[in-house]
Amino acid sequence: MRASMSESWAATGEGSTMTVSVFVGTSVDGFIARPNDDLDFLPPGGGEPHGYDEFIARVDAIVIGRKTFEKVLTLGPWPYADKRVVVLCSRPLDVSAAGGGVVEQMAGPPTEIVSQLAARGAHHLYVDGGITIQGFLRAGLIQRLMITRVPVLIGEGVPLFGTLPRDIRLRHVATRHYPSGLVQSEYQVAA
Ligand SMILES: NC(=O)c1ccc[n+]([C@@H]2O[C@H](COP(=O)([O-])OP(=O)(O)OC[C@H]3O[C@@H](n4cnc5c(N)ncnc54)[C@H](OP(=O)(O)O)[C@@H]3O)[C@@H](O)[C@H]2O)c1
């Protein structure tokens, strides 16, 4: 399974141009958190290995929404090591709580954020947080979606997807399933 993912990533040609990816876990009914931001329906510790380590090793910078940043701070030690993290927030935000992390704040249209990070040498961005992903999708900036569905229905919560100005066609790259019931589908956004 890992081998097949490496091949598909290589096929994107990342390195020469900017690739913006999503790697996210959802309930089968499409929620990334409960209404109160609880993540207790996700497998503890991220569950069995399902490609996250390989994915994040290929990322130059992580772009997260302010709400995801605030949640991550409650989960324990800063999880992104020395990977560059950009927190999006429209108001001044104290990012020092991230401890030893390499964290900065940005704001503005997703297109400008991608342009600024590209100008600083990033080739592969990982965008996370529901509202944030939706903004980048609406702006046509996402190329890759890796969605891992956890076998549970939670009925309500923070949705992964939202409204769109037009359909976004996806090309199915691969679907993998894991013994615990995780089902991961990888899509490429059609040009
Ligand atoms: N299951 C998973 O894999 C997964 C992954 C990530 C997150 N989560 C969970 O999802 C929840 C958070 O998701 P969410 O959809 O509520 O919010 P989010 O996307 O994390 O954060 C949204 C906020 O980010 C800021 N923002 C986004 N785009 C911006 C832009 N272009 N410019 C300026 N600011 C921008 C805004 O903050 P201001 O309103 O302050 O300006 C906005 O309200 C948390 O519970 C988190 O734990 C789950």
Side-chain angles (χ1 to χ4, degrees):
M1 287 182 182
R2 288 183 177 184
S4 67
M5 184 162 69
S6 300
E7 287 159 15
S8 60
W9 278 110
T12 66
E14 76 187 60
S16 55
T17 58
M18 177 66 90
T19 299
V20 184
S21 301
V22 168
F23 192 112
V24 69
T26 76
S27 61
V28 168
D29 47 354
F31 299 108
I32 60 171
R34 292 193 192 274
N36 65 355
D37 290 319
D38 209 328
L39 300 172
D40 62 339
F41 65 94
L42 298 176
E48 65 202 309
H50 58 279
Y52 180 80
D53 291 344
E54 294 86 344
F55 167 78
I56 202 140
R58 291 169 169 264
V59 164
D60 298 318
I62 305 168
V63 179
I64 61 176
R66 187 259 307 164
K67 294 181 181 178
T68 295
F69 174 68
E70 290 176 347
K71 181 65 181 181
V72 166
L73 291 178
T74 71
L75 297 178
W78 184 246
Y80 303 120
D82 57 359
K83 192 77 76 178
R84 185 196 301 174
V85 175
V86 175
V87 183
L88 300 185
C89 183
S90 56
R91 298 168 284 117
L93 185 68
D94 178 10
V95 296
S96 64
V102 182
V103 186
E104 65 182 297
Q105 180 187 349
M106 293 178 73
T111 308
E112 288 180 14
I113 287 154
V114 171
S115 296
Q116 287 182 44
L117 292 171
R120 286 156 53 180
H123 294 292
H124 187 193
L125 303 181
Y126 167 23
V127 174
D128 208 11
I131 290 170
T132 304
I133 291 168
Q134 291 164 30
F136 279 67
L137 277 171
R138 276 195 291 272
L141 294 168
I142 305 282
Q143 281 85 47
R144 286 260 156 174
L145 295 167
M146 299 279 291
I147 301 169
T148 305
R149 295 186 298 286
V150 178
V152 64
L153 303 171
I154 65 171
E156 60 178 348
V158 178
L160 172 56
F161 296 118
T163 59
L164 291 169
R166 66 191 71 82
D167 292 353
I168 296 177
R169 297 267 165 211
L170 305 175
R171 185 177 72 80
H172 177 246
V173 176
T175 291
R176 310 168 187 92
H177 59 89
Y178 296 86
S180 69
L182 299 182
V183 178
Q184 182 182 73
S185 292
E186 178 178 355
Y187 298 95
Q188 188 168 22
V189 175

